[in-house]
Each structure stands twice: as structure tokens, then as C-alpha cells.
Amino acid sequence: KNQVEQSPQSLIILEGKNCTLQCNYTVSPFSNLRWYKQDTGRGPVSLTIMTFSENTKSNGRYTATLDADTKQSSLHITASQLSDSASYICVVSGNTGTASKLTFGTGTRLQVTL
Amino acid sequence: EAGVTQFPSHSVIEKGQTVTLRCDPISGHDNLYWYRRVMGKEIKFLLHFVKESKQDESGMPNNRFLAERTGGTYSTLKVQPAELEDSGVYFCASSPGAGTVFGQYFGPGTRLTVT
């Protein structure tokens, strides 16, 4: 069964600190992996997308890594800001690259405090 | 440019009643998707429209759910009759292309509570 597991489930950090969120998946075959940010009361917004051959991709203070051999990805947030408080969802796409083959993680809820 | 909009934002209905959720995609996006997140679980795919046609409805849970996209613009998702387990957040998303390499733009969701 295709699964995406994220850790930690929740995280509280001080503003300005860095953090790393983890995503392990068992989806096979693999097409791509996205990290989404979901603010409270809003829909998910894509941060990064990585395909099989990509190891790292950055979007501002967000840097995602992918190890397709171990089926692990991480999202590193640098110099966190209060606006980073949100849920971060890892989504893995199966081989066909179609929506029905998307497997979502349950997300990591990040809270950035003063 | 307006994003994906959904209406209502929140609906509370009794078991056995009918509810219709609406989604307006980004203008020009032929692909429209419905997803659902049940409390404590991950988001799951329900179905995919390309224009007015159902491309993939493999995620629809049962025949109490009916999705339409007449004219290829906005879409509705009707639940009739609603059951307690239908409670959750229903997301709509749209994209310019069908493959998942195209970014999907999500709406804010409709929170459905069945009592």
C-alpha cells in the first residue's frame, strides 16, 4: 500500500531558528514529490516539486531534499518567521503522474513563536 | 488573478440531508479536482474533471456522491443523503495541465459537518 509518513506530527520553534521536517514514503513507482504549505483556513500551496533525478531544490528560505534510494525527503526552513506557522504536507505522485495516484501525508504542524 | 474559490466555507447538516458544494476554478484551467480530508487523516483524491468530462472518479467513495461540471467551468459536489462519516474538509483544486508536474491550485476548502 502506498503511504507517506511525516514527522514530527507537530513542532514548536522560536522565531529565527531553523527546522527540518521529514517525509518517508513507500509509493512505487515514483513520479515526483511536492511539499505544500497550508495556512489555517486555506488550501495547500505548493512550495517545491522534485522528480527522481533531483536531490535538492530551494524556494527562498525553504530547501527540500530528496533521496529516491531511501525514499526520504526533508524540508528545511531557515531563519523561521512567524508567518511560517502552518501545516506542511508532503505529497508523492505515482508513476502515471495523475491526480488519482497522489498520496498525501498527514502533515507536520509547525508553530513559530516569539 | 482570482484563485480557486469554494462555497460554502462551512456547512452543518443533519444525517440524511443533502448538501451541494461548489467550486470555481481559476479561469482557463481545464483540469479540476476534488479531494477530501477526514478528521485526523490525510487528504484523499475523489475525482478529476477535464473540462466537463470526468477523467477519473476512482476516489469517489460511493454513489451518494455526485460531481458535475456543466459547461466545463464551475463544479458541484452533491452528497445525498449525507452520513456521519462524510464529515470532513472538501478541497477543490485546478490546474492548467493534467499531469501532477503541473501545479495544482487549491481552494480554501468547505468544512462539512454531518450531525
Side-chain angles (χ1 to χ4, degrees):
Chain A
K1 179 184 177 183
N2 289 335
Q3 283 188 312
V4 173
E5 294 186 357
Q6 294 187 241
S7 62
Q9 197 169 38
S10 62
L11 182 63
I12 301 174
I13 62 173
L14 293 175
E15 185 181 29
K17 296 297 186 181
N18 304 334
C19 67
T20 300
L21 314 180
Q22 300 289 344
C23 171
N24 296 339
Y25 61 93
T26 59
V27 177
S28 182
F30 172 88
S31 175
N32 59 74
L33 183 149
R34 278 186 191 268
W35 282 93
Y36 282 89
K37 177 186 180 187
Q38 184 178 12
D39 292 308
T40 301
R42 297 189 169 237
V45 174
S46 180
L47 293 174
T48 63
I49 177 174
M50 287 183 292
T51 57
F52 185 88
S53 59
E54 296 176 295
N55 301 118
T56 184
K57 184 164 286 187
S58 293
N59 178 0
R61 294 179 296 101
Y62 301 102
T63 299
T65 65
L66 174 65
D67 185 335
D69 291 331
T70 62
K71 299 186 177 180
Q72 294 180 324
S73 177
S74 66
L75 180 68
H76 186 75
I77 304 175
T78 304
S80 62
Q81 300 176 358
L82 296 178
S83 59
D84 293 331
S85 296
S87 287
Y88 292 83
I89 303 171
C90 175
V91 184
V92 182
S93 177
N95 191 41
T96 63
T98 56
S100 62
K101 302 303 181 186
L102 291 177
T103 304
F104 289 74
T106 54
T108 291
R109 182 171 294 276
L110 173 66
Q111 183 177 349
V112 181
T113 65
L114 293 171
Chain B
E1 178 185 89
V4 176
T5 58
Q6 293 186 245
F7 182 83
S9 58
H10 194 180
S11 179
V12 181
I13 62 172
E14 293 183 352
K15 176 182 172 181
Q17 290 186 321
T18 297
V19 63
T20 300
L21 314 181
R22 172 171 170 145
C23 168
D24 286 77
I26 292 173
S27 178
H29 282 190
D30 288 339
N31 294 271
L32 185 150
Y33 312 84
W34 283 99
Y35 295 91
R36 177 173 73 171
R37 182 169 191 166
V38 173
M39 178 76 74
K41 301 282 190 178
E42 70 275 18
I43 296 172
K44 287 194 174 180
F45 167 83
L46 294 178
L47 87 161
H48 170 204
F49 282 102
V50 178
K51 297 185 179 179
E52 68 275 10
S53 299
K54 291 177 184 175
Q55 181 78 11
D56 184 345
E57 53 184 330
S58 60
M60 295 288 264
N62 52 61
N63 59 10
R64 295 185 293 103
F65 289 75
L66 174 65
E68 295 181 321
R69 193 183 182 195
T70 307
T73 54
Y74 71 91
S75 174
T76 59
L77 180 64
K78 180 189 288 188
V79 184
Q80 178 183 29
E83 298 289 345
L84 297 178
E85 64 264 25
D86 299 333
S87 295
V89 181
Y90 290 77
F91 292 101
C92 174
S94 72
S95 69
T100 56
V101 292
F102 292 93
Q104 290 189 22
Y105 299 82
F106 282 80
T110 292
R111 181 174 295 278
L112 174 64
T113 303
V114 183
T115 64

